[in-house]
Amino acid sequence: MGQTKHNGPIKKAKMPAPKHWVSPIPFGLGKIKPKHIRDTMKVAWDNKDNIGYAKNIITKGVCDGCALGVSGLYDQTLTGPHICTTRLNVLRLNTMPAINKEILHSDIEELRKYSSTELRELGRIPYPMIRRKGDRKFSRLTWEDAMDMIADKMKQLNPKQYSFYLTSRGITNESYYVAAKVSRFLGTNHVDNASRICHSPSKTALKRSVGVGASTANYQDWIGTDVLLFWGSVASNSSPVSTKYMLEAKKKGTKIIVINPYREPAMDKYWIPSNTESALFGTKVADDFYQINIGGDIAFMHGIMKHWFDMEADEYGSAVNHAFVEQHVNGLDELRQNVSDQSWEEITFSSGVTKERIIELAELLANSKNAVFAWALGLTMHSFATDNISQVANLALLRGFLGRKYSGLMPFRGHSSVQGSGEMGADPFVLPGGDFKGENIKRMEDLWGFELPKWQGDVVGVTLENILLPENHERKIKLYYLSGGNFLETMPDPDYVEKALSALDIRVHQDIILNTSTLVDAKEAVIVLPAKTRYEQEGGGTSTSTERMVYFSPEIEGNKNQIEEARAEWKIYIDLAKRVKPETAHLVEFKDGQAIREEIAKANPSYEGVQHLKKQGDVFQWGGAWLCEGGICPTPDGRGNLIPVDIPDLQKKPGDFYLTTRRGKQFNSMVYKETDPLNGAERYDVLINPEDARDLRIENEEAIVLYNQYGIFQGRAKIDQIASGNLGVHFPEGNFLLPKGRYEKFSKIPDYNVGVKVEKAEKFNARKDTQYLEKRIDDLEDTPGA
């Protein structure tokens, strides 16, 4: 069966739809909401010293913010210009001048007084720098000396003792690919990336359920589907342009359902700045919210399936799409048995949702011809994340919501080209074009011309732990090479992370800005290398969107604040390879970006076509409009697999709360506002349910303490619409409560949810010396999800 091609952008509905307005009062005056016009004016002001270049980035570059893939001002979903605040927020990273040298070379303790936000605002890293053990400040280095020092250290080490990591900060497919190739060339499989920390369970689950590791659908499938269901995703916050698609979907009659512990204001009501109607009157986004317990998703989905099987017992074909299942799906009987064995009592207790409400959604889905299921970190950041997402796939397979228009499975990715990072092989479990095993290893060895190390590389959390292994351990990490990233503000247990980072012999920060982790000590040296942005990369670069669109972003001329010594990220990797293994480095040499794209097309057959992307606006979609088209999955037998799992036991004790982290006005760990414009929460506010607050006699804005055996968090209560028994804190501020070393069983990402106790601050502080800090808190030793 041939692939159907995406048909390109469609026109927006012309008629306004007042029934979806939030308020007839223009601009939502008097409501807590994003101040888009004011924010846009501020962005223009911040970029006034380089406004021409800023304008060129917006009109010619592919967005380095979210993963929707807006190229210039246009995308492949809707006609007309698109712009959003996320993109405007990160714009200054590309236009700002170098850091003032007096500040840059001030005493390290002075620099440590700055937050990551303040460090970012200082400007860009101007040239290579070093801070040796005992040095009070950074000194300037030549590129030659910096690269020689890194290479000399690598030559002394077993390749199992160094590790590479790439962030999601605007890195192109070309840089991910070269990093993946060079790390293997240098003999290490310790290479990981930010995207894997967020969405690798999506890939793992989808591969076992339907044989693909990417979104099977397009954004256009939202517009006209019967039901668009968001699971643990605040799409309007992470990718604001997506709200424009949601408004179009609503105008076509699509029902939008959100399943999340917190009634996220941005998924409830939103003002879309690039849509006149919505900018004036706002848009009621969700038609319904299911406020589920953190970690209650599997039970909730089992409730839906249990009701479907009950419906089937009454009337064959009333809930399950038997024609689809018989032709394309394995495991119906096992799943039916598994779900039937669970009681409604277990299901409602774990999910926190009543039987009546679950049945309501089950019947809506049973009566829908089409549905698109989208999810994000609310499903992936758990120790049982792969099982979570397999259950979403189960729902789609039972109804036949796969491989056709208006239907599909969509891991909703946050950042530009994180979809591409794994597809380029920058991940310990994969190589370009497939997994790190068997035939694929041999295929890549033939293409690359060198032997690959055969041992299994470690994921980022494990490599951080391995820094503290005994001195003579063959896996003790002694050199860490980071392209961007700030582990202090993205990984659980920041105190432990700081201890680990400072125990490295050498730490390399290849980046455009300083952050708090750059300032941590190292045993021998911290080396800082100035990187170019994607818009400065010679020959341009590509990025892959959530819907598998590969966009070309050209090199953009005219930067008044050019950093003369900055280098393209992929070029730095090749320079390193030449110094560590000069005799064979020709095997990883690329003369330009085009040469990399030519090789990517061979290395990952899905990317055949990437070599033809050469100018602004060039784009192609790998895999066609729908993966698993016609229900045929790229699994060994061509069929999808229903995966039965158990409801996880969170081992929640009476009086325990379950905590999750959420983002405010920020881009990953980069915070842009101390107050969240969507709900008025400040960075140390704790979202708590009104009844829970009443039971604990906690007033709004009262000082409270959350604690467990991992840490203590002092904040203020913000009484809000979050499910009872659940709490929300901002990421990264809440990371001190998260345990290190607890990983998802299949994809090994950290678990970002944990059990805590809550007390008024005055009560906690009055007796903390005797009761809490002197001894372990025994009744918390069995942590939820451990």
Side-chain angles (χ1 to χ4, degrees), residues 307-318 336:
H307 185 64
W308 283 355
F309 292 131
D310 289 346
M311 288 170 70
E312 283 291 318
D314 290 341
E315 186 192 342
Y316 182 83
S318 56
R336 187 193 287 115

Side-chain angles (χ1 to χ4, degrees), residues 66-70 75 77-78 82-86 218-220 222-223 228 230 233-250 256 266-267 270-275 278 283 285 374 410 412-414 546-547:
C66 84
L68 291 182
V70 178
D75 69 12
T77 305
L78 291 172
H82 308 298
I83 190 75
C84 81
T85 48
T86 300
N218 298 289
Y219 296 120
Q220 273 185 8
W222 295 9
I223 303 167
L228 172 56
F230 287 100
S233 163
V234 192
S236 47
N237 195 5
S238 59
S239 305
V241 172
S242 69
T243 37
K244 193 183 266 193
Y245 313 155
M246 293 182 219
L247 175 55
E248 290 306 306
K250 289 179 77 80
I256 297 180
M267 292 301 283
Y270 199 77
W271 283 257
I272 306 163
S274 58
N275 178 295
S278 182
T283 298
V285 182
M410 182 177 278
F412 199 84
R413 294 182 172 274
T546 296
E547 57 181 351

Side-chain angles (χ1 to χ4, degrees), residues 686 688 690 692-694 696-704 715-719 760:
V686 179
I688 186 167
D692 292 338
R694 203 175 309 126
L696 294 165
R697 296 188 170 81
I698 288 169
E699 301 288 327
N700 198 35
E701 296 189 6
E702 185 174 358
I704 59 172
R716 291 194 177 275
K718 180 170 175 54
I719 295 173
K760 289 168 169 277

